[in-house]
Amino acid sequence: MDDLSITLPCGFTADYKQINQFSDKFSCPVCRTHQIVRQECLNMNRNKFVLNQTNLSEKQKKLSECRQSLEIYRNMPNYFIDDNRTTFKLKIDARKEFTKLFINHKIDKYFENVIKDYDERCCLKLIEFKEKIEKINKLEIEVNDTKYEENFDIRKKLDVIDSSCKKIDDLVDMINSAISILSEENFTNDLNIENVFKNIINLKPSENISNPEEENSFRDNFLLEKNVNGIVKSYCSKNEYGSIHIKSVNESVFFMKHSLIGNSGKDIKKPFLIRKHVRFDLINGIYGKQAINITDINGQPLSLCYGLKKKKIGYKRRTVEVKKEPQDFCENVFQY
């Protein structure tokens, strides 16, 4: 379009780019003897025809390119649907792994709070038990010191015996009370094991297990480092996991197949992945340090080579029937 030859009112010609850069009214760039109104110049029949014809050619070219692109999609619609599905699945898998880690973190945190409350309850029980033991020791001294002399009359002896029996009953009750403080039944009555995690598990449909602020805070702790460079050290096609070696810290980290950006879900040929330089994000996963969002060293999706699963070919054993010639009857007869 910029190289088009535009005819000027004076009969000379100039490039469209040269005309288009001026304002509405300008001096003729060729003869410089008259003023030109840009829009009037472009609306001249010859110029208008050239411009419209060029515009039509560009639109036809664009239409041709669109048709070629459509032809690719028309011939392989399933391929593009599968490709979009794979990309969507990779994003869902990445979100799933994060959600699993976050939920495990929530459960662990809730469990720690339950244990902390339980430990506080144990401390209070222990203090109560020690107070009971002190009272038991005092009461035992009183029981042991309660005696009557032989010269006491019968009424006084009966009073001493009744007092001793009462103190012994009180001592037995106090001992049983002290034992019950540390018994398992006393502890479990205060804490229903069935309902320990009900606040997490029994959620209403309108409730959410997390809020954005809490999730972002966890994400900051969950993500250790971004854009780490490494080399694929090993990969197991059967179990779909492998390891990446980080040369800068001389350490290997774990990764799963779904963390490979550009992975189509098919079986990856192991030789095309080993010793490949990659870039990834490092997280604190379930199994320790884990690599996610794995790309090539330039941050682009990995170019992976896929292989078809080899089918075992079974070979049928051929059996050849050997026709035996009929033996002479005399050979089977015992001779005497």
Side-chain angles (χ1 to χ4, degrees):
M1 179 72 79
D2 292 340
D3 297 333
L4 286 177
S5 179
I6 300 298
T7 303
L8 301 176
C10 59
F12 293 101
T13 59
D15 293 338
Y16 175 78
K17 181 180 180 181
Q18 191 176 6
I19 301 297
N20 201 37
Q21 69 181 355
F22 291 112
S23 58
D24 292 340
K25 193 173 183 180
F26 57 93
S27 177
C28 178
V30 182
C31 66
R32 302 182 183 278
T33 59
H34 61 95
Q35 294 291 318
I36 298 175
V37 178
R38 185 170 64 87
Q39 196 59 42
E40 290 181 358
C41 180
L42 295 177
N43 286 336
M44 291 171 60
N45 289 336
R46 184 185 180 282
N47 294 336
K48 194 171 183 179
F49 175 77
V50 171
L51 288 172
N52 289 347
Q53 190 178 30
T54 304
N55 188 30
L56 176 62
S57 299
E58 289 182 353
K59 289 184 179 296
Q60 288 175 341
K61 184 179 178 181
K62 187 176 181 180
L63 177 60
S64 178
E65 292 174 355
C66 289
R67 283 175 175 170
Q68 290 178 1
S69 300
L70 177 62
E71 198 65 25
I72 296 172
Y73 284 89
R74 182 184 293 170
N75 293 334
M76 298 186 298
N78 292 332
Y79 170 81
F80 291 100
I81 289 174
D82 292 342
D83 186 55
N84 290 330
R85 182 183 180 277
T86 301
T87 304
F88 176 75
K89 186 176 181 296
L90 288 172
K91 292 180 180 179
I92 290 296
D93 283 342
R95 179 65 186 177
K96 179 188 71 173
E97 291 300 319
F98 173 79
T99 304
K100 284 164 62 176
L101 289 170
F102 181 70
I103 291 175
N104 285 335
H105 169 74
K106 289 273 291 184
I107 292 174
D108 291 341
K109 188 176 179 181
Y110 184 80
F111 175 78
E112 289 173 1
N113 291 333
V114 170
I115 294 298
K116 186 178 179 180
D117 293 341
Y118 190 80
D119 290 340
E120 291 177 358
R121 188 182 291 109
C122 289
C123 291
L124 295 175
K125 294 285 184 183
L126 185 60
I127 293 171
E128 185 181 357
F129 178 76
K130 289 181 178 180
E131 291 176 353
K132 287 283 185 183
I133 291 297
E134 290 179 0
K135 292 180 180 179
I136 288 170
N137 292 335
K138 291 179 180 179
L139 196 55
E140 280 183 341
I141 293 172
E142 293 180 6
V143 170
N144 293 332
D145 291 342
T146 305
K147 295 179 181 179
Y148 61 86
E149 301 292 336
E150 291 296 333
N151 56 358
F152 286 175
D153 57 16
I154 189 66
R155 288 184 178 179
K156 198 168 184 180
K157 288 181 179 179
L158 289 172
D159 292 339
V160 172
I161 291 172
D162 290 340
S163 177
S164 296
C165 290
K166 186 178 179 181
K167 289 181 180 180
I168 290 172
D169 289 339
D170 293 340
L171 181 60
V172 170
D173 292 340
M174 195 170 293
I175 290 172
N176 289 331
S177 175
I179 293 172
S180 67
I181 291 173
L182 300 183
S183 66
E184 183 180 358
E185 293 181 357
N186 196 347
F187 274 74
T188 54
N189 285 339
D190 296 338
L191 182 64
N192 189 351
I193 301 298
E194 297 291 333
N195 297 328
V196 168
F197 293 105
K198 77 173 184 177
N199 293 332
I200 291 181
I201 297 173
N202 297 332
L203 291 174
K204 296 178 182 179
S206 59
E207 294 177 347
N208 196 346
I209 197 168
S210 66
N211 57 66
E213 293 182 0
E214 188 177 10
E215 190 170 324
N216 291 333
S217 175
F218 172 73
R219 193 188 300 275
D220 294 339
N221 297 325
F222 162 80
L223 184 64
L224 299 178
E225 191 175 353
K226 289 180 71 70
N227 298 329
V228 182
N229 294 334
I231 303 173
V232 179
K233 183 178 178 182
S234 63
Y235 180 72
C236 178
S237 300
K238 181 179 179 182
N239 297 322
E240 298 184 344
Y241 67 83
S243 63
I244 299 175
H245 182 71
I246 307 174
K247 192 175 181 180
S248 59
V249 293
N250 194 20
E251 184 182 10
S252 295
V253 296
F254 169 83
F255 77 90
M256 294 292 291
K257 178 184 175 181
H258 59 72
S259 297
L260 299 170
I261 303 300
N263 165 39
S264 67
K266 300 178 183 178
D267 291 335
I268 301 172
K269 285 187 178 181
K270 183 177 177 180
F272 290 89
L273 189 59
I274 302 299
R275 297 191 183 92
K276 201 174 189 71
H277 291 263
V278 293
R279 180 175 294 175
F280 56 91
D281 296 336
L282 192 62
I283 64 169
N284 189 12
I286 300 174
Y287 307 104
K289 291 184 178 180
Q290 184 176 340
I292 61 170
N293 301 331
I294 304 170
T295 63
D296 65 10
I297 198 67
N298 298 318
Q300 299 299 319
L302 290 165
S303 298
L304 301 172
C305 187
Y306 304 98
L308 298 174
K309 292 184 177 179
K310 294 183 179 180
K311 295 182 179 179
K312 294 183 178 180
I313 302 174
Y315 296 94
K316 293 183 179 180
R317 183 175 294 178
R318 296 178 62 185
T319 57
V320 181
E321 295 183 0
V322 179
K323 293 183 179 180
K324 294 183 178 181
E325 296 182 357
Q327 297 179 349
D328 192 359
F329 179 75
C330 296
E331 295 179 2
N332 297 328
V333 178
F334 289 99
Q335 296 180 359
Y336 294 94

